[in-house]
Amino acid sequence: MGVLDQISRRLGQAPVNVSRRGFLAGSGALVLATALPLRPVRGQETAAEAPAVEAFLELRPDGTALLRSPFIEGGQGIFTAMAQIVGEELDLAPENFSVEIAPAGGPFGIMGGYRLTGGSMSTRTGYPVMRQLGAAARAMLVEAAAQEWGVDASELVTEPGVVVHEGSGRRAAYGDLAAAAMDLPVPAEPALKDPADFRWIGSALPRMDVRAKSTGRQTYAIDVEVEGMLLAALRHAPRLGLTPAAVTNRTEIEAMRGVHSVQMLDGAVAVVAEKFWQARRAIDAAEIDWTEGEAQWPMPADFSSAGFRDTLASATGEVVEVEAAGDAAGTLEAAETVIEATYDAPYVAHGQLEPPSATARFNEDGTLDLWMPCQAPEMFVGAAAAAAGLEASQITLHQQVLGGFFGRHFLYATANPFPQAIALAKAVGRPVKLIWTREEDFLRDAPRPLGLARFRGAVGPDGPTALQVEVVGEGPTQRWYQAPPGQDPSATEGISGKTYAIANTHIGQIFHANPAVIGYWRAVGHSMHDFMYEGFLDELAQAGGLDPFEMRLSMLSGSERHRTLLERVGEISGGWTPGPFEAEDGTTRARGVAMASPFGSEAAVIAEVSVDGGEVRVHQVWVALDPGQVVNPSTVEAQVQSAVALGTSQTLVEELVYENGEPTARNFDMYPILRPDQMPQVHTAIVESGAPMGGVGEPGLPAVGPAIVNAVATLTGQRIRSLPLSKHDFG
């Protein structure tokens, strides 16, 4: 179970009709919200108590529908999925829907009283609620027609957008029934469709946000314009913990064209101007003296990522048990063949397409409006209230579509610009839009933690007999939600939670605090830990003289679901062939295999690689993904392609290096990402096992890295235990 699965407990809920007098007086629309036992969580205590006056669903007189999505669109296709699910049960084609982001507060906390977009949870969390919502609306429309025609509701059926009485041939469009349906009670348990009758769930429908994004019409936080606003650029202290002592040329830069003022912030200096380029030019010219200040997590002046890796490698302390079976220690002690290895993976940046920004406006009545991207609206409202010295009820968050995220837009104390935007708007008395440049984003990003694990394993003629792992470090859930060592999935997932049958295992964590401000990254702990586990599994196979594919099959004898998945990826790759072998183009290639069990889904991957001029080239990646059930196959395939791109990128080239307490990369010139010519061909097989619905956005990533590394080991004889591959010599 992943970290966000662990903190998500969906309570029972049922749709509720919102009175036309209380919400849309005289509109003739059918308006449905939900009645939830809202249970506030950390950072949401006041926001969660907002009255449920916003609606999930409005069915309009023209037969179209407005759906307010509890989840934030960030390129993953959630708006389309929500329209498909609601439309399926409502019996209204998804193209008749418009979808927007639901505001903070109100009835939208469908994840047990709160909501967030992340952990590959949106569709699987929203699926039962949205089906019920659509079914309730359909039942009310049918009842409205039954009362109008004086027939029993059981005599009526629906076609897309229409209620039909087959006996008389009478038909009524949804829009014509919306007003009458508005005053009917909402059924507590409306009948749901038989999946065999689905029209749209399971269909590869086109994404509803593609046109706006491909034509440049989609707006993001960086595009926000507010009347009378100023623009701001800033420069953070080069090391977290420093703060500005003085701007020695302040008079000079405040005299520059368009500049309104220079503002001293905690750990940064900002220039506020009429235009962003004016602010940027001025802050670039600023001469700033920095001094030691106060910070919750100050970076040591001598901190380096290389030194921290060595610290983790030699760390000792209490090993907190995470998983255990049999007698791993005793079996290892008695074994003839014992393999030991230490694996590590570096800090990696988010590098999302849209740099962070926030716009703040204080109003005459003392309220505050904010325009910004985030993945957890109610949490951000709570934090903004604290920053502004207001009540959450005084803040209106205008949530923006995300220009990429990968975990970047969670609430990290030093990595979000909105507290600075609030401070600037308060200081200058006008609305302010603050944009972090890419350089400031790299400097204050909350990267994926540098991770390390120490492995010991024993193998016999039939496969591994014992496995002992010590995961050393800190997970983001320990940092931000105080999960204790051993109980934080983000710190061990991908090493814990594996499905292979090894009779004697012990997985433990040695907690070691990370000096850097760390955060969630796509696939979280799985993104690095599956590389470590699956790489070591191949080492055991080699030590035992076993084929890594066949060994995995034998270790999955107790799980038909996993065996089916592994066999399926073998099939779509044309049959398992480890190599080395000569390809049609004359290159010498090899293949590697790996599996992962992230976010309620299962994945199996085969990668095919060669080495060209000392550089690893990934030619093809085959992914078999079992998310249990699927809403939109084309979205699943797109997510797999995206996950393979990011998984290949972090395996080949990505590494955020720290020296002297600072990241050495401040832009993509020093932080390479996957080039277009490095992108492999991706082949996807979706396997719907019928298991409970799992995630899709992240599960395609974790097995990519180890499949590539295992292929490299087969091809070159080099076992890589430290990413990225670009720092190793394959010449």
Side-chain angles (χ1 to χ4, degrees):
M1 180 175 287
V3 56
L4 296 179
D5 295 280
Q6 187 184 56
I7 64 174
S8 169
R9 295 290 185 268
R10 187 176 74 85
L11 304 179
Q13 58 251 178
V16 60
N17 199 349
V18 179
S19 162
R20 73 173 67 181
R21 290 168 296 281
F23 185 68
L24 291 176
S27 71
L30 170 60
V31 182
L32 290 179
T34 62
L36 293 178
L38 295 178
R39 184 188 302 170
V41 298
R42 185 179 302 275
Q44 298 179 261
E45 285 78 1
T46 52
E49 297 171 1
V53 296
E54 296 288 356
F56 272 111
L57 177 66
E58 296 176 29
L59 184 60
R60 296 156 168 163
D62 64 0
T64 63
L66 169 64
L67 177 65
R68 290 182 173 88
S69 170
F71 306 107
I72 317 302
E73 179 63 68
Q76 81 279 41
I78 192 60
F79 280 6
T80 306
M82 292 293 104
Q84 281 183 259
I85 298 166
V86 175
E88 185 65 73
E89 294 293 350
L90 179 57
D91 210 355
L92 183 68
E95 59 261 30
N96 291 318
F97 281 78
S98 58
V99 185
E100 62 184 36
I101 302 168
F108 303 108
I110 68 171
M111 302 168 75
Y114 74 102
R115 61 167 165 157
L116 53 81
T117 301
S120 296
M121 290 188 66
S122 299
T123 301
R124 56 180 165 143
T125 303
Y127 187 74
V129 181
M130 294 296 135
R131 285 189 69 188
Q132 190 178 31
L133 187 71
R138 177 178 174 274
M140 294 169 70
L141 292 164
V142 168
E143 181 60 31
Q147 291 186 13
E148 181 176 329
W149 296 335
V151 299
D152 192 273
S154 63
E155 300 177 30
L156 304 181
V157 296
T158 60
E159 296 174 0
V162 180
V163 178
V164 179
H165 184 236
E166 294 179 322
S168 64
R170 281 176 292 187
R171 302 167 64 87
Y174 282 179
D176 296 334
L177 296 168
M182 184 65 182
D183 289 327
L184 296 176
V186 181
E189 296 184 3
L192 300 179
K193 277 189 177 181
D194 185 327
D197 297 328
F198 283 169
R199 298 177 188 269
W200 298 293
I201 291 178
S203 298
L205 301 186
R207 287 264 299 273
M208 59 197 313
D209 57 338
V210 167
R211 179 176 292 276
K213 290 178 176 176
S214 60
T215 58
R217 296 176 182 174
Q218 178 67 61
T219 59
Y220 299 89
I222 203 170
D223 301 312
V224 166
E225 293 187 10
V226 176
E227 183 178 357
M229 76 178 184
L230 294 168
L231 283 296
L234 56 69
R235 191 191 310 170
H236 286 105
R239 176 169 54 83
L240 188 61
L242 297 178
T243 198
V247 179
T248 58
N249 62 340
R250 181 170 186 159
T251 301
E252 176 185 333
I253 63 175
E254 284 189 331
M256 295 175 70
R257 180 182 177 185
V259 171
H260 175 279
S261 59
V262 173
Q263 300 292 331
M264 308 286 273
L265 300 172
D266 182 17
V269 174
V271 172
V272 183
E274 295 295 330
K275 300 182 184 298
F276 180 73
W277 68 265
Q278 295 169 334
R280 172 70 187 273
R281 183 179 63 176
I283 196 64
D284 285 348
E287 297 172 1
I288 305 171
D289 289 339
W290 303 101
T291 188
E292 294 291 339
E294 298 292 329
Q296 187 173 2
W297 295 293
M299 286 289 278
D302 61 350
F303 176 78
S304 72
S305 46
F308 185 58
R309 187 267 171 208
D310 292 341
T311 297
L312 294 183
S314 60
T316 59
E318 180 187 6
V319 181
V320 181
E321 184 177 290
V322 178
E323 287 181 4
D327 180 10
T331 305
L332 287 166
E333 183 69 26
E336 294 183 6
T337 304
V338 175
I339 306 298
E340 298 187 6
T342 298
Y343 279 74
D344 67 83
Y347 294 108
V348 290
H350 290 94
Q352 74 290 340
L353 185 62
E354 179 192 14
S357 66
T359 301
R361 181 186 68 196
F362 284 93
N363 304 307
E364 291 184 1
D365 62 359
T367 60
L368 171 65
D369 281 74
L370 287 171
W371 291 261
M372 62 182 177
C374 75
Q375 293 177 243
E378 289 77 17
M379 291 184 185
F380 274 68
V381 167
L390 299 174
E391 298 296 323
S393 60
Q394 295 176 280
I395 295 176
T396 299
L397 171 61
H398 304 271
Q399 169 68 53
Q400 303 296 300
V401 168
L402 306 175
F405 54 119
F406 316 129
R408 177 63 179 87
H409 297 300
F410 281 118
L411 190 60
Y412 307 123
T414 59
N416 304 111
F418 72 90
Q420 297 166 332
I422 291 170
L424 292 173
K426 183 178 292 188
V428 304
R430 288 174 61 181
V432 172
K433 177 164 72 174
L434 170 64
I435 302 173
W436 284 9
T437 62
R438 183 65 69 189
E439 289 77 10
E440 300 308 314
D441 182 27
F442 266 85
L443 187 61
R444 285 294 180 266
D445 190 11
R448 185 191 72 183
L450 187 156
L452 181 140
R454 302 190 288 247
F455 291 79
R456 296 184 72 223
V459 62
D462 298 323
T465 58
L467 177 66
Q468 190 175 66
V469 190
E470 295 175 352
V471 185
V472 188
E474 177 187 15
T477 304
Q478 289 171 285
R479 173 66 61 93
W480 300 111
Y481 300 101
Q482 294 77 52
Q487 299 180 40
D488 172 15
S490 73
T492 63
E493 60 190 0
I495 291 175
S496 60
K498 300 294 280 189
T499 57
Y500 302 116
I502 302 177
N504 305 285
T505 61
H506 188 277
I507 312 297
Q509 180 191 359
I510 298 177
F511 174 79
H512 195 290
N514 202 309
V517 175
I518 57 175
Y520 297 101
W521 195 81
R522 190 172 186 176
V524 197
H526 284 281
S527 67
M528 57 181 170
H529 293 141
D530 280 293
F531 147 68
M532 301 174 186
Y533 189 105
E534 295 283 325
F536 188 71
L537 202 60
D538 260 37
E539 291 197 59
L540 291 175
Q542 182 180 17
L546 302 169
D547 177 89
F549 187 93
E550 296 298 330
M551 186 184 80
R552 284 174 171 82
L553 272 179
S554 68
M555 296 169 67
L556 298 171
S557 59
S559 174
E560 189 62 31
R561 182 184 185 189
H562 294 90
R563 282 185 60 88
T564 297
L565 196 66
L566 186 55
E567 289 169 345
R568 183 70 178 123
V569 78
E571 290 169 3
I572 65 173
S573 69
W576 168 247
T577 307
F581 58 88
E582 184 174 323
E584 292 183 0
D585 63 358
T587 59
T588 301
R589 303 184 184 182
R591 292 181 176 181
V593 63
M595 299 189 74
S597 301
F599 305 99
S601 293
E602 303 294 337
V605 173
I606 291 176
E608 183 174 294
V609 310
S610 68
V611 174
D612 181 9
E615 180 180 286
V616 173
R617 178 174 174 81
V618 185
H619 295 274
Q620 300 191 82
V621 173
W622 294 269
V623 180
L625 181 69
D626 177 5
Q629 306 167 61
V630 169
V631 171
N632 190 324
S634 64
T635 299
V636 174
E637 185 170 356
Q639 285 290 336
V640 169
Q641 292 171 344
S642 169
V644 170
L646 196 54
T648 304
S649 183
Q650 64 131 352
T651 302
L652 295 185
V653 295
E654 291 194 41
E655 179 179 20
L656 188 64
V657 175
Y658 284 86
E659 293 179 0
N660 302 317
E662 307 171 20
T664 59
R666 298 292 297 276
N667 211 319
F668 291 111
D669 58 341
M670 292 292 289
Y671 185 86
I673 59 175
L674 194 72
R675 304 187 309 265
D677 66 293
Q678 293 175 302
M679 180 66 190
Q681 288 185 302
V682 181
H683 314 270
T684 305
I686 301 171
V687 180
E688 290 191 77
S689 63
M693 184 178 288
V696 167
E698 295 164 287
L701 186 149
V704 172
I708 293 171
V709 171
N710 289 340
V712 169
T714 298
L715 182 65
T716 67
Q718 290 183 250
R719 171 52 59 183
I720 302 303
R721 302 187 182 98
S722 180
L723 293 180
L725 294 177
S726 57
K727 68 183 182 182
H728 300 278
D729 183 10
F730 299 102

